[in-house]
């Protein structure tokens, strides 16, 4: 852990210093803004609580905010109680694994589609202030339900891979962490659908010399007006299909409420197309089929290692896990991305009007308000006095962003703590302390097999993706689902946070992209242009040659 001088901790409750608090660097690699933090507590939090009740999961958790970062501690039950609750929870989850495909396709997805259709139909710019306030209130109420669906889906998916990996190791004696998850890779989902559509859009761009010339001559952030000004039929067709793509897949961004979605700002989409055009021609459909072929070959090889009497039971476990594996990405398409995008759209519209009223100095000040504070401002804008508060929070956030947040604070436990092994594969405990002396290699989790060599590009925000060139090795704190189109541009992936079940590792395996995740310090010790060798089989990153 970092020292207090590097990351000063003020304990509002002095007793909390005696507890051990860990940071979720997978979802929140940087200090989050007040609206994002309160969204987590008031909308995502109830979804977690409700799901834990339904699945009767053991233990409780508490969270605190320190320097803009969320830290969490687990409050365990007595060991005998924990064991009883775990057995009960696993039995309930087993039932939900079997029923999840029906629930998702017959109940959850139609429910989400209905809400999203209603929100798309609501005319934000032309709504009255009272109508906008009512829409926002109804939306936030429904979003709690969306996050219930999120966890009702994710927990059984995680449990299915837990059961599969434990059974795989027991029956084969193979301790390779990646192996069980290759058995559930290569199935179509909303992420692969979206990325395939973007590649097909790139192939359409190649058919118009005017379009390809425009991509070569202009930066992505200024390209859209240039494309719209092109008059030849092929160019106009490309722009029409591009607009359709953004309409269909554009309700997503980096995962931060304060950043625009692809629908609002096409820069990210155009940047990826530009990189695709600059790279070698590929056959994504063939590549995806290769992943499926590898999966089927590995299933056949695995069965030869398993006693005949156990094969039927293993295949039943595998098939159940395969049936729900695509939902890990597909649920995010509707909830983490589209649902959150519409929350942002409503917030942005209100912020514009609040700035016009003089309540906010500028529209993006709204992201420095807590959700309850925003609700208060919505109902009583004429008496709102939040400018000084927002100015202070901007200053605090800028200062916190310069801190190197540790992976944990408080008092480490004196005895080993029981933990969910599957969760540990997702969040993977990491050490964020930078060792003294020369660093020639970093160790992390083996996220996706293979060996890659290339120049590092260190990216801390989606806004920096224009620097990514074909063949680069992407070095980042963590990855978010909208980033995956870049996985066909880069040659390897290195992250600070995450384990073999983190988003970056899962998708890297789908793209056969060598990946080492959970290094703890990669973004702090690797510079742009550094020549790296990424061994995604062993979980090692070698620093071959530092950049200029």
């Amino acid at each position: 852990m970092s020292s207090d001088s590097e990351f000063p901790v003020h304990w509002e409750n002095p007793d909390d210093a005696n507890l051990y608090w860990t940071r979720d660097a997978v979802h929140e690699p940087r200090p989050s803004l007040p609206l994002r933090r309160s969204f987590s507590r008031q909308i995502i939090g109830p979804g977690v609580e409700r799901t834990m009740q339904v699945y009767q999961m053991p233990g409780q958790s508490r969270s605190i905010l320190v320097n803009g970062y969320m830290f969490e501690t687990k409050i365990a039950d007595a060991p005998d109680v924990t064991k009883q609750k775990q057995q009960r929870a696993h039995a309930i989850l087993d039932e939900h694994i079997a029923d999840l495909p029906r629930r998702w396709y017959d109940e959850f997805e139609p429910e989400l589609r209905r809400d999203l259709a209603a929100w798309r139909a609501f005319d934000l710019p032309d709504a009255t202030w009272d109508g906008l306030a009512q829409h926002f209130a109804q939306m936030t109420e429904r979003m709690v339900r969306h996050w219930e669906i999120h966890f009702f889906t994710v927990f059984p998916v995680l449990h299915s891979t837990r059961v599969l990996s434990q059974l795989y190791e027991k029956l084969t004696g193979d301790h390779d962490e990646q192996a069980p998850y290759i058995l559930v890779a290569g199935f179509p989902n909303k992420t692969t659908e979206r990325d395939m559509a973007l590649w097909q859009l790139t192939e359409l761009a190649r058919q118009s010399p005017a379009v390809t010339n425009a991509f070569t001559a202009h930066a992505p952030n200024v390209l859209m007006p240039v494309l719209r000004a092109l008059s030849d039929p092929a160019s106009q067709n490309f722009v029409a299909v591009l607009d359709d793509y953004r309409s269909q897949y554009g309700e997503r961004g980096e995962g931060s409420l304060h950043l625009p979605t692809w629908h609002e700002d096409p820069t990210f989409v155009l940047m990826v197309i530009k990189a695709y055009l600059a790279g070698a021609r590929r056959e994504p459909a063939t590549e995806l089929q290769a992943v499926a072929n590898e999966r089927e070959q590995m299933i056949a090889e695995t069965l030869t290692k398993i006693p005949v009497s156990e094969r039927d039971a293993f295949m039943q476990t595998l098939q159940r896990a395969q049936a729900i594996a695509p939902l890990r990405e597909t649920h995010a398409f509707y909830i983490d991305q589209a649902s959150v995008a519409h929350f942002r759209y409503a917030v942005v519209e209100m912020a514009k009007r609040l700035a016009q009223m003089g309540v906010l100095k500028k529209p993006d000040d709204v992201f420095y308000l807590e959700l309850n504070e925003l609700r208060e401002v919505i109902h009583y804008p004429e008496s709102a006095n939040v400018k000084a508060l927002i100015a202070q929070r901007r200053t605090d956030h800028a200062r916190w962003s310069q801190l190197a947040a540790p992976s944990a604070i408080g008092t480490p436990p004196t005895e080993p703590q029981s933990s969910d092994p599957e969760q540990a594969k997702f969040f993977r405990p990491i050490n964020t302390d930078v060792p003294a002396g020369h660093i020639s290699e970093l160790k992390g989790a083996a996220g996706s097999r293979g060996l890659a060599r290339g120049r590092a590009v260190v990216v801390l925000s989606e806004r920096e993706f224009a620097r990514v060139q074909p063949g680069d090795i992407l070095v980042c704190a963590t990855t978010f689902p909208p980033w995956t189109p870049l996985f066909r541009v880069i040659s390897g992936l290195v992250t600070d946070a995450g384990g073999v079940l983190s988003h970056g590792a899962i998708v890297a395996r789908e793209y056969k992209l060598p990946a080492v995740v959970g290094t703890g310090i990669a973004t702090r010790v690797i510079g742009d242009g550094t020549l790296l060798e990424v061994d995604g089989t062993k979980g090692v990153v070698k620093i071959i040659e530092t950049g200029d």
Side-chain angles (χ1 to χ4, degrees):
M1 294 191 298
S2 299
S3 67
D4 287 347
S5 60
E6 296 171 331
F7 191 83
V9 178
H10 170 69
W11 300 101
E12 293 185 9
N13 180 351
D15 292 339
D16 285 345
N18 299 320
L19 302 175
Y20 189 58
W21 303 82
T22 58
R23 179 170 67 90
D24 176 7
V26 173
H27 293 108
E28 299 286 351
R30 300 179 296 276
S32 55
L33 296 178
L35 189 60
R36 175 68 177 86
R37 294 196 300 266
S38 54
F39 181 95
S40 295
R41 283 177 165 168
Q42 296 181 39
I43 293 178
I44 298 178
V48 177
E49 293 172 7
R50 170 63 176 155
T51 309
M52 290 187 70
Q53 290 171 1
V54 170
Y55 293 146
Q56 299 184 32
M57 303 180 79
Q60 302 176 41
S61 63
R62 279 186 55 212
S63 62
I64 57 174
L65 191 67
V66 181
N67 300 330
Y69 292 91
M70 198 74 75
F71 288 83
E72 186 177 74
T73 190
K74 300 293 184 182
I75 304 171
D77 299 309
D80 57 332
V81 174
T82 297
K83 185 176 181 179
Q84 292 174 3
K85 286 187 174 180
Q86 282 179 337
Q87 290 174 343
R88 177 58 182 157
H90 288 179
I92 295 172
L93 284 164
D94 285 340
E95 296 173 4
H96 281 264
I97 289 172
D99 195 40
L100 184 57
R102 181 200 63 79
R103 292 202 73 193
W104 174 265
Y105 294 109
D106 293 349
E107 299 176 19
F108 294 161
E109 185 174 329
E111 183 177 351
L112 294 167
R113 284 178 176 272
R114 284 194 298 271
D115 284 345
L116 291 170
W119 296 348
R120 292 184 188 110
F122 186 82
D123 192 339
L124 288 168
D126 288 342
T128 64
W129 182 255
D130 288 344
L132 186 57
Q134 184 178 12
H135 169 73
F136 185 68
Q138 293 172 343
M139 174 187 291
T140 52
E141 182 178 344
R142 284 299 302 163
M143 289 189 76
V144 174
R145 168 60 179 165
H146 287 197
W147 285 92
E148 286 182 3
I149 294 174
H150 170 101
F151 292 104
F152 283 150
T153 303
V154 168
F155 285 179
V157 171
L158 285 173
H159 184 65
S160 74
T161 54
R162 175 194 294 112
V163 174
L164 175 64
S165 62
Q166 290 174 350
L167 187 60
Y168 174 89
E169 185 173 330
K170 175 185 175 182
L171 295 179
T172 67
D174 184 358
H175 301 288
D176 180 354
E177 267 197 340
Q178 287 188 48
Y181 310 114
I182 294 174
L183 301 177
V184 295
F187 291 98
N189 57 62
K190 277 293 184 180
T191 295
T192 56
E193 173 190 305
R194 177 202 63 198
D195 293 355
M196 181 65 74
L198 185 55
W199 184 267
Q200 291 168 346
L201 186 57
T202 304
E203 292 302 293
L204 189 62
R206 295 184 194 275
Q207 298 176 18
S208 169
V211 169
T212 55
N213 290 339
F215 272 97
T216 301
H218 299 278
N221 63 328
V222 297
L223 186 55
M224 201 67 215
V226 176
L227 292 172
R228 293 200 186 281
L230 299 176
S231 58
D232 64 287
S235 299
Q236 292 179 340
N237 181 51
F238 170 78
V239 171
V241 177
L242 171 61
D243 286 341
D244 183 67
Y245 178 87
R246 289 172 56 213
S247 176
Q248 189 171 357
Y249 298 106
E251 293 173 345
R252 68 213 61 248
E254 184 185 1
S256 301
L257 291 172
H258 67 288
L259 295 177
T261 64
W262 298 358
H263 185 75
E264 297 167 277
D265 182 358
T267 299
F268 179 82
V269 175
L270 296 173
M271 182 273 297
V272 173
I273 295 173
K274 185 181 179 78
Y276 283 174
L277 290 171
R281 295 290 287 269
R282 300 174 65 168
E283 295 293 339
T286 302
E287 293 172 1
L288 290 174
Q289 185 59 49
V291 176
N293 293 343
E294 180 186 24
R295 177 192 72 225
E296 294 305 310
Q297 180 180 348
M298 187 169 176
I299 291 172
E301 293 172 355
T302 299
L303 289 175
T304 65
K305 303 175 185 177
I306 296 175
V308 174
S309 60
E310 301 284 359
R311 289 178 185 174
D312 286 347
F314 177 79
M315 284 303 299
Q316 182 182 35
T317 298
L318 174 60
Q319 288 165 359
R320 291 172 70 187
Q322 289 177 335
I324 63 176
L327 298 182
R328 182 157 190 167
E329 289 295 309
T330 295
H331 89 276
F333 177 86
Y334 293 101
I335 303 169
D336 306 50
Q337 297 163 28
S339 178
V340 173
H342 282 276
F343 176 87
R344 172 186 156 78
Y345 298 157
V347 167
V348 168
E349 178 60 33
M350 290 186 291
K352 291 177 183 176
R353 301 190 194 190
L354 289 168
Q356 292 169 354
M357 297 177 197
V359 176
L360 302 178
K361 188 175 181 181
K362 51 185 179 179
D364 68 357
D365 281 349
V366 73
F367 300 107
Y368 292 84
L369 293 175
E370 300 263 349
L371 184 53
N372 282 343
E373 293 168 344
L374 176 58
R375 289 179 175 128
E376 185 75 11
V377 169
I378 291 169
H379 289 296
Y380 306 103
E382 67 281 351
S383 59
N385 186 15
V386 294
K387 290 181 179 177
L389 173 67
I390 289 169
Q392 182 60 54
R393 286 178 177 172
R394 279 187 176 275
T395 300
D396 291 341
H397 185 265
R399 184 176 73 255
W400 295 334
S401 297
Q402 301 304 310
L403 300 176
S407 58
I409 58 175
T411 304
T414 55
E415 298 179 359
Q417 302 293 299
S418 61
S419 62
D420 183 337
E422 209 69 6
Q423 270 207 331
K425 292 177 184 178
F426 184 82
F427 291 105
R428 189 175 184 267
I430 58 175
N431 185 353
T432 59
D433 293 337
V434 177
H438 176 69
I439 299 174
S440 60
E441 71 174 32
L442 301 177
K443 293 183 179 179
S448 178
R449 294 174 175 176
L451 194 67
R453 181 177 281 220
R455 295 288 176 180
V457 56
V458 183
V459 169
L460 301 179
S461 166
E462 184 178 290
R463 294 173 176 176
E464 301 176 14
F465 276 147
R467 297 191 292 107
V468 178
Q469 300 298 315
D472 283 346
I473 290 176
L474 176 62
V475 179
C476 57
T478 186
T479 67
F480 295 98
W483 294 18
T484 57
L486 281 177
F487 282 25
R488 285 203 174 92
V489 176
I490 58 178
S491 62
L493 173 70
V494 179
T495 71
D496 287 343
V500 70
L501 282 181
S502 63
H503 171 265
I506 290 173
V507 180
R509 290 193 292 272
E510 297 283 351
Y511 286 80
K512 297 182 72 66
L513 178 75
V516 176
V517 296
T519 63
I521 57 173
T523 59
R524 295 163 61 195
V525 301
I526 295 174
D528 276 335
T530 300
L531 180 61
L532 301 178
E533 184 179 270
V534 177
D535 189 333
T537 305
K538 296 180 179 179
V540 175
V541 180
K542 291 183 179 179
I543 299 175
I544 306 300
E545 176 184 292
T546 58
D548 296 332

